[in-house]
Amino acid sequence: MFVIGLTGGIGTGKTQVSRLLEELGASIVNADLLGHEVYAPQSEGWHAVVNAFGEQIVSDNGEIDRRALGGIVFSDDSALQQLNAIMHPRIYDLAEQRLKGLADQGVATAVLEAALLIEAKWTPLVDDVWVTVSPEEDIIARLQDRNNMDEATARSRIDSQMPQTERVEHADVIVENNASLEDLSDSVKELWNSRVLTR
């Protein structure tokens, strides 16, 4: 099975590229959704996070309140590192299990969609690293439109992530999202034909 690791900064079109790859026949493993599984109430991951950050991050329904947790970790780098040390290995293990399951089913191509693919050191799980990139003004416009962010908030979210220039250093493929959705679709189809179908 050929595994594409798909990553990119906020607002660069990663989710859109993932959808296009799924339409072309790839099976998608989404690291964000795996993160939700790690947080599942009363799971081993849930207990590890609650023990680290306290009962105040648990909402009335027993789930971890991601907003409350975010308020703690995004203002404190050591707290964020502590959370990542709990979460990243567990998400890696789940992703590895899911990918193995897909391979056992005879799936030809899978995509591991992960914003932190590079930072969390999950690249050993994939054969090819695809990075989505966009001009910063396009990203800001998308975040303002899609997430109702003001420009200052959008810029701070972009600045909190690995810079695009650094991310592309790890890329086998750079997917440029700087025009229309139709152009993006054409680019992805071209990459599918040249890098996936030729294997």
Side-chain angles (χ1 to χ4, degrees):
M1 183 174 76
F2 180 58
V3 183
I4 297 165
L6 177 63
T7 191
I10 187 170
T12 58
K14 180 174 76 280
T15 304
Q16 196 62 56
V17 171
S18 180
R19 280 196 203 108
L20 291 165
L21 288 167
E22 188 171 29
E23 284 168 16
L24 290 165
S27 294
I28 310 298
V29 176
N30 184 309
D32 265 358
L33 299 180
L34 298 181
H36 287 288
E37 287 186 43
V38 172
Y39 279 140
Q42 301 303 322
S43 67
E44 187 261 343
W46 182 93
H47 282 288
V49 173
V50 173
N51 288 342
F53 297 101
E55 294 283 342
Q56 77 270 17
I57 64 163
V58 181
S59 59
D60 294 341
N61 63 4
E63 292 182 359
I64 286 175
D65 180 341
R66 289 167 70 106
R67 187 165 293 204
L69 181 60
I72 296 168
V73 300
F74 290 124
S75 57
D76 179 349
D77 200 46
S78 66
L80 181 59
Q81 286 176 14
Q82 187 181 6
L83 178 64
N84 288 343
I86 294 168
M87 296 295 291
H88 288 175
R90 289 171 172 85
I91 295 172
Y92 183 102
D93 290 345
L94 264 184
E96 191 171 37
Q97 286 170 30
R98 291 295 149 81
L99 291 167
K100 184 180 183 307
L102 292 172
D104 290 346
Q105 290 167 35
V107 167
T109 307
V111 175
L112 175 58
E113 181 188 341
L116 297 176
L117 182 77
I118 295 159
E119 298 91 321
K121 300 181 172 55
W122 294 333
T123 52
L125 293 171
V126 308
D127 301 301
D128 239 9
V129 175
W130 292 22
V131 175
T132 54
V133 296
S134 274
E136 188 164 295
E137 58 271 21
D138 290 3
I139 297 170
I140 290 166
R142 280 187 206 118
L143 294 179
Q144 287 174 319
D145 187 43
R146 184 186 76 193
N147 300 36
N148 278 329
M149 281 185 194
D150 58 51
E151 186 175 339
T153 306
R155 285 190 188 282
S156 74
R157 284 294 296 274
I158 294 165
D159 292 344
S160 72
Q161 299 185 329
M162 177 184 279
Q164 287 198 108
T165 49
E166 191 179 338
R167 205 179 262 115
V168 299
E169 288 172 15
H170 300 267
D172 297 298
V173 171
I174 296 168
V175 185
E176 296 205 25
N177 181 18
N178 55 8
S180 68
L181 182 54
E182 198 177 333
D183 288 328
L184 182 64
S185 178
D186 288 344
S187 298
V188 171
K189 278 181 194 152
E190 202 174 294
L191 286 165
W192 179 265
N193 292 334
S194 64
R195 281 195 84 87
V196 180
L197 297 184
T198 55
R199 289 186 176 264

